Amino acid sequence: MSQAQSSSANSADQLQRFSFDNTDIRGEITHLNASYRAVMTRHQYPKVIAVELGQLMAATALLSASLKFAGRLTLQVRLPGNVSLLQAETSDKGELRAIARYDAGLAEQELSFDNGQLVITIEPEQGQKYQGITAIDGGNIAAAMENYFEQSEQLASRFWLECDGDNAAGFMLQKMPAMDSSDADAWNRLTQLADTIKPEELLLLNNEVLLHRLYHDEAIRIYQPSELKFFCTCSKARLATALTQLGYDELDDILKQSGKIDVSCEFCQQHYSFDRPQVDALFPQRNPH
Ligand SMILES: [Zn+2]
């Protein structure tokens, strides 16, 4: 990687890992620019939802490095109020997508995180699905992530998540378990320094500048970044599978009324159309010929 590329690091959608020598502490920084805007251009979310969804996408990107196998990781914030769901997904290839469900009347109220749940689902392409659920009691997405790691993984973790409605960024520090550390005070010192990050610094500074500003007295090791991008996994075949859940009679009614069935992917708004022969083909038992 050339110097010019690395100095403009935060214009790219990427995840970058770092670690501190002689400690058991590692960290990650993510920037979501084009991938965040790809989600926002497909939906007209109220600002409060757009900002929270950006933070959730950043949290998801930070967790994507933990996918060591082919598969998907989904983060959901489930809430009892007007905003019922914030969801962001990533794959081992760094592909991101996100969606929110909310009452149209919500407008621009404050979003409450009381009595919610944070749900982390990991779906390997091969093998067992894993799901972890942690209660959310106030706070924000970063606090919910920290609780999740404390309770489910017994890992001390800190998250700093920012979104200004145009870009999203995340910063994470994590203390790895059961490693000998010659620097007992490191966790307090490194997290206190990270607490001084201003939102605009996390959003706008490139990683090396930010890490130097925070940790110029530390022996820090910065690894090659990996790319992130918006990508939707929808396909006509997947939408067809979803349509069959409605049952033949309901699809038949729609076909009688309008001659075709129009559906859009709720994530990316890609449009798919099914005519009668295509619907009939979904129910082979009904059409033995
Ligand atoms: Zn889609």
Side-chain angles (χ1 to χ4, degrees):
M1 183 188 236
S2 75
Q3 214 47 43
Q5 279 172 321
S6 73
S7 67
S8 62
N10 74 344
S11 65
D13 288 49
Q14 57 172 225
L15 176 71
Q16 189 153 31
R17 295 162 51 238
F18 55 89
S19 62
F20 300 92
D21 289 353
N22 307 316
T23 75
D24 49 4
I25 297 163
R26 64 181 198 92
E28 293 174 9
I29 308 178
T30 188
H31 290 280
L32 303 177
N33 305 319
S35 57
Y36 174 66
R37 289 193 283 270
V39 171
M40 291 304 128
T41 55
R42 285 164 172 81
H43 303 272
Q44 274 68 54
Y45 290 131
K47 178 84 188 266
V48 61
I49 291 177
V51 166
E52 298 294 343
L53 200 58
Q55 293 185 21
L56 190 69
M57 285 182 73
T60 307
L62 291 171
L63 296 195
S64 68
S66 63
L67 272 179
K68 306 287 188 210
F69 44 80
R72 300 192 64 74
L73 182 151
T74 302
L75 268 183
Q76 290 182 326
V77 173
R78 299 177 185 167
L79 298 169
N82 291 330
V83 181
S84 57
L85 179 73
L86 303 170
Q87 177 171 329
E89 301 176 15
T90 185
S91 71
D92 57 297
K93 299 179 196 69
E95 298 162 341
L96 293 157
R97 65 177 192 174
I99 198 167
R101 295 216 178 89
Y102 61 102
D103 288 346
L106 172 81
E108 295 289 335
Q109 302 168 31
E110 192 75 12
L111 204 160
S112 164
F113 281 88
D114 292 336
N115 304 311
Q117 287 182 325
L118 177 73
V119 182
I120 297 185
T121 307
I122 296 172
E123 295 165 282
E125 277 176 18
Q126 294 182 332
Q128 282 270 304
K129 172 171 149 176
Y130 163 85
Q131 192 160 68
I133 301 177
T134 307
I136 302 176
D137 192 13
N140 53 30
I141 292 172
M145 297 293 294
E146 290 164 8
N147 280 341
Y148 170 80
F149 276 98
E150 185 72 43
Q151 291 174 23
S152 300
E153 314 276 333
Q154 280 82 48
L155 283 179
S157 309
R158 290 289 312 277
F159 287 81
W160 293 262
L161 306 170
E162 299 293 344
C163 180
D164 62 3
D166 206 27
N167 303 293
F171 190 101
M172 179 185 79
L173 291 176
Q174 203 157 58
K175 194 171 188 297
M176 304 317 289
M179 276 176 65
D180 257 352
S181 175
S182 58
D183 185 352
D185 177 53
W187 179 249
N188 287 339
R189 186 175 73 248
L190 297 174
T191 53
Q192 279 169 14
L193 287 166
D195 273 330
T196 68
I197 304 175
K198 297 186 182 77
E200 62 271 22
E201 289 180 314
L202 182 52
L203 286 165
L204 300 175
L205 287 181
N206 88 47
N207 296 347
E208 284 170 30
V209 172
L210 177 65
L211 290 172
H212 180 76
R213 198 172 278 191
L214 292 173
Y215 298 129
H216 47 84
D217 289 333
E218 307 288 338
I220 189 167
R221 211 172 279 262
I222 305 174
Y223 302 94
Q224 280 291 329
S226 58
E227 276 182 40
L228 302 168
K229 60 177 180 290
F230 174 79
F231 180 78
C232 190
T233 51
C234 68
S235 65
K236 189 153 186 174
R238 284 184 189 219
L239 268 287
T241 304
L243 275 186
T244 59
Q245 313 288 319
L246 295 175
Y248 184 83
D249 291 344
E250 185 161 347
L251 299 178
D252 185 50
D253 283 346
I254 303 171
L255 284 168
K256 279 176 185 153
Q257 283 168 27
S258 44
K260 61 186 169 103
I261 296 173
D262 292 310
V263 284
S264 295
C265 170
E266 62 174 348
F267 282 90
C268 72
Q269 310 290 332
Q270 172 72 43
H271 181 82
Y272 297 93
S273 189
F274 295 82
D275 60 16
R276 182 170 287 282
Q278 288 170 327
V279 171
D280 284 346
L282 300 176
F283 297 87
Q285 273 95 341
R286 295 191 65 94
N287 300 279
H289 56 280

